[in-house]
Amino acid sequence: MKKSLLLLPLPFLLASCATTPPSNVENACRIFREKPDWFDASLDVERKYGLPIQVQLAIMRQESSFKHNAAPPRDTLLGIPMWWRVSSAYGYAQVKDGTWDWYKDKTGNWGADRDEYDDAVDFMGWYASVSQRTLGISKWDAYNQYLAYHEGHTGWQRKTFNSKGWLVQVARKVDANARMYGEQLRGCRDSLGSSSWWWPF
C-alpha cells in the first residue's frame, strides 16, 4: 500500500517536468540537452520548412519564454480584472485562435495543440514559409520574420511597425538571440545527434 501511494504522484511529476521551461534559456545547447525531444521536433521543422532552429528558439523565447500555457494578461474594467484576456493568443508560440484555425485548415494538422512544443514549432515553420512566399522574407532573417509574425502579413506590408519603436527594439533582440543561439549550436549540434547540418555561407 505504501509503495502504491508513493508511486501515485509520479505521472504528475513527469508531466510537470515535460512542460517546465528550460532551466537556462540563454544557451541553446543546454536547452536541447535538457529537452532532447524539443531538438528532434525543431530539427524536423528545419528540414520540413527550412526555418533555422535558432530562429525558432528566438521567436519562442520572446513570445512565451518557453512556457507551454503562456497567455496574455486579463482585461480590466474600471481597474477590476475580468475573466477574458486582452487577446486569444496562447501557448508556446502565442498564436491567436483565428490564426491557429487557419494553420490547421491549410496543413490538415487538426489535432495540433498550441501547448505542445512540436505543434508550436511546426506552426512557426509553416508561418515563416508563408512569410517568405508572400512577402519575400528570408527564413534566416529573424528580424523581419519576427515583425511579420507579430504584426501579421498585412501589417508587415503596411510597415505598421515603423510607428512602434518598442516593437522594433524587440525584433532586434529576437535577431540578436537568434544569432547567439546559432553560434552556440555550431558547437553542439553533432553531440545532439544531428548529422546533416547545413549553412548557406
Side-chain angles (χ1 to χ4, degrees):
M1 180 65 70
K2 289 183 179 179
K3 288 184 178 180
S4 62
L5 289 174
L6 289 173
L7 291 174
L8 183 61
L10 186 58
F12 299 98
L13 292 174
L14 292 175
S16 176
C17 291
T19 55
T20 302
S23 56
N24 186 340
V25 301
E26 297 290 335
N27 190 292
C29 303
R30 292 188 180 184
I31 289 173
F32 289 134
R33 287 186 181 122
E34 184 178 338
K35 310 269 190 183
D37 55 323
W38 284 19
F39 178 72
D40 292 340
S42 282
L43 186 59
D44 286 345
V45 167
E46 184 179 77
R47 290 170 172 167
K48 179 179 179 182
Y49 295 107
L51 182 66
I53 291 177
Q54 59 264 31
V55 179
Q56 300 172 36
L57 288 179
I59 292 176
M60 184 176 290
R61 176 181 177 180
Q62 182 59 45
E63 290 299 279
S64 69
S65 298
F66 300 106
K67 296 175 183 176
H68 76 287
N69 59 351
R74 297 188 182 280
D75 207 348
T76 59
L77 182 63
L78 300 177
I80 302 173
M82 297 290 102
W83 60 87
W84 62 83
R85 298 186 182 275
V86 297
S87 167
S88 64
Y90 178 74
Y92 285 115
Q94 286 296 278
V95 190
K96 295 181 179 179
D97 292 348
T99 308
W100 192 249
D101 289 341
W102 177 37
Y103 158 72
K104 291 194 293 184
D105 180 59
K106 293 299 183 181
T107 63
N109 191 12
W110 293 106
D113 293 316
R114 286 174 285 182
D115 56 5
E116 295 288 343
Y117 182 91
D118 57 343
D119 292 330
V121 289
D122 192 80
F123 167 82
M124 287 182 173
W126 171 81
Y127 193 90
S129 293
V130 176
S131 297
Q132 182 188 51
R133 185 173 67 252
T134 61
L135 305 175
I137 303 173
S138 168
K139 293 171 187 174
W140 290 82
D141 183 354
Y143 175 81
N144 279 295
Q145 280 287 351
Y146 181 73
L147 289 174
Y149 193 93
H150 189 278
E151 296 295 274
H153 297 130
T154 301
W156 189 90
Q157 285 180 313
R158 294 176 178 172
K159 307 300 180 187
T160 55
F161 50 84
N162 284 335
S163 62
K164 302 175 181 178
W166 62 270
L167 179 57
V168 170
Q169 291 301 316
V170 169
R172 288 174 179 163
K173 182 169 70 171
V174 170
D175 183 63
N177 284 334
R179 293 175 185 275
M180 176 186 71
Y181 286 144
E183 286 300 314
Q184 293 165 350
L185 286 168
R186 283 179 182 270
C188 72
R189 283 188 63 122
D190 288 343
S191 67
L192 295 172
S194 171
S195 59
S196 59
W197 181 229
W198 56 274
W199 290 90
F201 46 81

